[in-house]
Amino acid sequence: MPVESGSSAAARQAKQKRKSHSLSIRRTNSTEQDRSGLQRDMLEGQDTKLPLSLRNNLLDLFSQIEREFENLYIENLELRKEIETLNDRLTAEGQTFEGADLAKGALKTKASHSTSQLSQKLKTTYKASTSKIVSSFKATTSRAVCQLVREYVGHRDGIWDLSVTRTQPVVLGTASADHTAMLWSIETGKCLLKYLGHQGSVNSIKFHPTEQMALTASGDQTAHIWRYMVQLPTPQPVADMSVSISSRFTPCEDDVDFSDKDEADGEVEGPNDCPSVRVATTTLRSHQGVVIAADWLVGGKQVVTASWDRAANLYDVETSELVHSLTGHDQELTHCCTHPTQRLVVTSSRDTTFRLWDFRDPSIHSVNVFQGHTDTVTSAVFTVGDNVVSGSDDRTVKVWDLKNMRSPIATIRTDSAVNRISVSVSQRIIALPHDNRQVRLFDMSGVRLARLPRSNRQGHRRMVCCSTWCEDNTSCNLFSCGFDRQAIGWNINIPALLQEK
């Protein structure tokens, strides 16, 4: 047998001494150090090609990760105790947080589900309960009463856009992917007229400011102007479906108890007794791509269209001639909007920018580019004052001052992409339709006012594409539409105290 040399034996003894010394130090510190020391010894006893220093570093990192998780677990337990204590105290005072008892409510209601479904529901309930409890500490003065008044059902595909007439009779217009546009009685929900002139998806609908004319944009690369004549039917009484919600808590907050099998997925019979218009008064042809949006300029003598060919076109209504082609965006346009009282146009694009076009001086057509978002700008709209509100797929909405647009004066951050927004003229409220089927309301300073009801019985079941306000004295003052093939009319009541703020 080979004889171990004196130097190697001394080195081995020294190593054992260092090892035993380090173990004794670890044992005298704490349980945490004992555990890390044992793990280190186990690694040292294993055959590995990793250098000792690298293994020690790995052990230290794993120990730190374990401590972080342990701290989070302890903090979670303490928070649960605080929540239970707070709920007990509020219960004694006659109040309670709905959904605070996670185990009782969730387990009882979901006992018949499978194990995987139960697990998912518990996660959802826990998330909803924590958001409710946190939001409950907000001010209680921001209260809004939102009432679902009526549903407008008849389209065979998703509804992209909707608008309300500016003249009498006041009707609702919808633009759908089923190649049609429909006019509805706001009070009865009955279809009054159907436009069948497009050969592609109808992506936008806007009404003339003074005459009974509609402007629609389509995937067939055209925009149509067509006249309509409707007679309003006698309104029928409806059941009260009001739901009071506030910024504190909505009873159906984050309720995802929806089936993927949509009720509207079946064949929905459209209104067969509805009269139709098949021929446009004026057809605007200049784009080389989908026309995604269109709007009337103030006065109604010109219209602007936005297309996926990266250009916006300005047309003369009487002659159908192209007046200006507004180019400069690097990617497809998503929306266009005109100022209610001035010759200003704002266009938004997938290139993360929106542009302000000024036609107030006939000899000068200036343009300003604004880069405030990090993803597609889905819409940008004017308000009555000197503000522009922009929404984006980056889950933010920003309020800008036309006099100084270097930076937004307010930023609203949400949890889902924002689609075509609208601003109430009288109440100065922003309605935000989302991809996650929510519709939220904010004021111009970015304070959340309410979220529209959404449950298995009411609200949208698919992505909400657009919202629009009605300032006339009707039963509904807000409308929303989505890919569940329906438009919904809401009555929004904001307290006077909140409007003054």
Side-chain angles (χ1 to χ4, degrees):
M1 290 180 64
V3 179
E4 191 174 32
S5 64
S7 59
S8 62
R12 183 171 58 82
Q13 292 175 356
K15 181 177 180 181
Q16 291 176 349
K17 289 181 179 179
R18 288 197 301 271
K19 184 175 180 181
S20 62
H21 180 65
S22 62
L23 286 175
S24 63
I25 293 176
R26 293 191 187 97
R27 290 193 184 97
T28 56
N29 283 341
S30 64
T31 304
E32 176 186 328
Q33 292 177 339
D34 291 342
R35 185 165 58 250
S36 62
L38 290 174
Q39 292 173 349
R40 191 183 303 275
D41 293 339
M42 290 175 63
L43 272 184
E44 289 178 353
Q46 295 177 355
D47 294 334
T48 177
K49 295 182 179 180
L50 293 176
L52 179 60
S53 60
L54 180 56
R55 283 188 291 164
N56 291 335
N57 288 336
L58 287 174
L59 275 177
D60 292 337
L61 291 174
F62 290 148
S63 299
Q64 293 177 23
I65 293 174
E66 183 179 5
R67 287 195 299 271
E68 289 295 330
F69 275 104
E70 186 175 3
N71 292 335
L72 288 175
Y73 179 74
I74 294 173
E75 183 179 356
N76 188 22
L77 292 178
E78 293 176 351
L79 287 175
R80 283 173 177 266
K81 292 180 181 178
E82 292 179 5
I83 291 172
E84 292 176 359
T85 303
L86 178 61
N87 196 57
D88 292 340
R89 187 167 70 249
L90 291 177
T91 303
E93 297 174 359
Q95 305 178 28
T96 184
F97 287 126
E98 295 187 29
D101 193 345
L102 302 179
K104 294 180 181 179
L107 290 176
K108 287 181 180 179
T109 55
K110 305 301 178 182
S112 60
H113 286 243
S114 64
T115 305
S116 60
Q117 291 174 328
L118 177 60
S119 176
Q120 182 62 36
K121 297 300 179 183
L122 285 174
K123 291 178 181 178
T124 302
T125 306
Y126 176 76
K127 177 182 177 182
S129 300
T130 52
S131 63
K132 294 169 191 174
I133 293 171
V134 172
S135 62
S136 298
F137 293 99
K138 295 182 180 179
T140 59
T141 56
S142 300
R143 184 182 297 271
V145 178
C146 303
Q147 176 184 359
L148 189 153
V149 180
R150 190 165 287 102
E151 296 177 345
Y152 304 85
V153 181
H155 280 291
R156 295 176 178 270
D157 208 337
I159 303 177
W160 289 117
D161 195 23
L162 77 174
S163 181
V164 178
T165 57
R166 310 182 199 181
T167 58
Q168 296 293 334
V170 179
V171 298
L172 172 70
T174 55
S176 171
D178 64 6
H179 299 190
T180 68
M182 290 185 181
L183 305 186
W184 308 81
S185 167
I186 293 178
E187 303 300 333
T188 66
K190 180 181 178 181
C191 178
L192 304 175
L193 185 71
K194 183 188 297 186
Y195 180 69
L196 305 173
H198 284 291
Q199 302 300 315
S201 169
V202 185
N203 303 319
S204 172
I205 182 169
K206 289 291 184 292
F207 292 101
H208 193 278
T210 58
E211 301 182 32
Q212 293 188 9
M213 292 194 299
L215 169 65
T216 51
S218 173
D220 59 13
Q221 302 184 5
T222 67
H224 289 183
I225 299 175
W226 44 278
R227 291 187 175 273
Y228 63 89
M229 292 185 64
V230 295
Q231 184 175 1
L232 297 180
T234 303
Q236 300 293 328
V238 296
D240 187 10
M241 303 174 65
S242 62
V243 177
S244 178
I245 64 176
S246 68
S247 63
R248 295 189 309 157
F249 164 62
T250 307
C252 52
E253 183 77 34
D254 295 325
D255 179 8
V256 294
D257 190 16
F258 289 87
S259 171
D260 290 336
K261 186 176 181 180
D262 197 335
E263 298 174 4
D265 282 346
E267 285 296 324
V268 178
E269 291 296 330
N272 295 322
D273 58 344
C274 180
S276 61
V277 175
R278 297 179 179 272
V279 181
T281 304
T282 303
T283 301
L284 307 176
R285 310 175 187 270
S286 290
H287 287 292
Q288 304 301 315
V290 170
V291 183
I292 196 65
D295 201 359
W296 303 85
L297 264 72
V298 57
K301 295 182 179 181
Q302 292 180 325
V303 298
V304 61
T305 58
S307 171
W308 284 4
D309 62 8
R310 306 181 183 183
N313 289 342
L314 186 66
Y315 295 92
D316 183 88
V317 173
E318 185 177 354
T319 62
S320 305
E321 293 182 355
L322 177 64
V323 180
H324 294 289
S325 183
L326 314 179
T327 59
H329 281 291
D330 295 331
Q331 295 187 38
E332 296 92 337
L333 272 66
T334 58
H335 192 247
C336 65
C337 180
T338 60
H339 195 280
T341 60
Q342 302 184 59
R343 290 177 55 81
L344 298 173
V345 177
V346 61
T347 57
S348 53
S349 170
R350 291 184 59 189
D351 61 11
T352 74
T353 70
F354 65 94
R355 294 180 176 232
L356 178 65
W357 310 82
D358 190 346
F359 297 101
R360 289 175 293 186
D361 188 342
S363 60
I364 302 176
H365 304 132
S366 62
V367 57
N368 294 305
V369 183
F370 303 99
Q371 300 175 339
H373 293 281
T374 59
D375 206 338
T376 298
V377 182
T378 54
S379 62
V381 299
F382 291 100
T383 66
V384 174
D386 295 327
N387 296 118
V388 173
V389 183
S390 60
S392 171
D393 280 345
D394 65 7
R395 303 182 179 184
T396 66
V397 173
K398 301 190 176 185
V399 182
W400 309 78
D401 188 348
L402 284 175
K403 299 177 181 178
N404 182 14
M405 298 190 65
R406 295 181 180 179
S407 60
I409 59 178
T411 298
I412 302 169
R413 304 188 185 279
T414 68
D415 59 354
S416 180
V418 181
N419 296 313
R420 292 184 178 179
I421 59 179
S422 60
V423 181
S424 170
V425 174
S426 59
Q427 302 185 84
R428 294 178 61 82
I429 302 174
I430 311 170
L432 278 59
H434 292 286
D435 279 357
N436 65 358
R437 301 172 289 185
Q438 304 274 9
V439 180
R440 293 185 173 92
L441 306 180
F442 290 81
D443 65 14
M444 295 294 291
S445 60
V447 177
R448 176 175 169 174
L449 304 179
R451 181 184 65 78
L452 300 191
R454 181 178 66 82
S455 68
N456 285 328
R457 297 173 300 278
Q458 60 179 332
H460 287 286
R461 299 182 294 272
R462 296 284 182 87
M463 173 182 70
V464 187
C465 301
C466 180
S467 64
T468 188
W469 292 89
C470 177
E471 307 296 339
D472 293 277
N473 188 19
T474 62
S475 60
C476 308
N477 56 1
L478 176 65
F479 298 90
S480 60
C481 66
F483 242 57
D484 53 2
R485 308 179 186 180
Q486 69 173 345
I488 300 179
W490 308 87
N491 181 267
I492 312 298
N493 185 12
I494 305 296
L497 177 62
L498 184 60
Q499 293 186 41
E500 292 176 359
K501 294 182 179 181

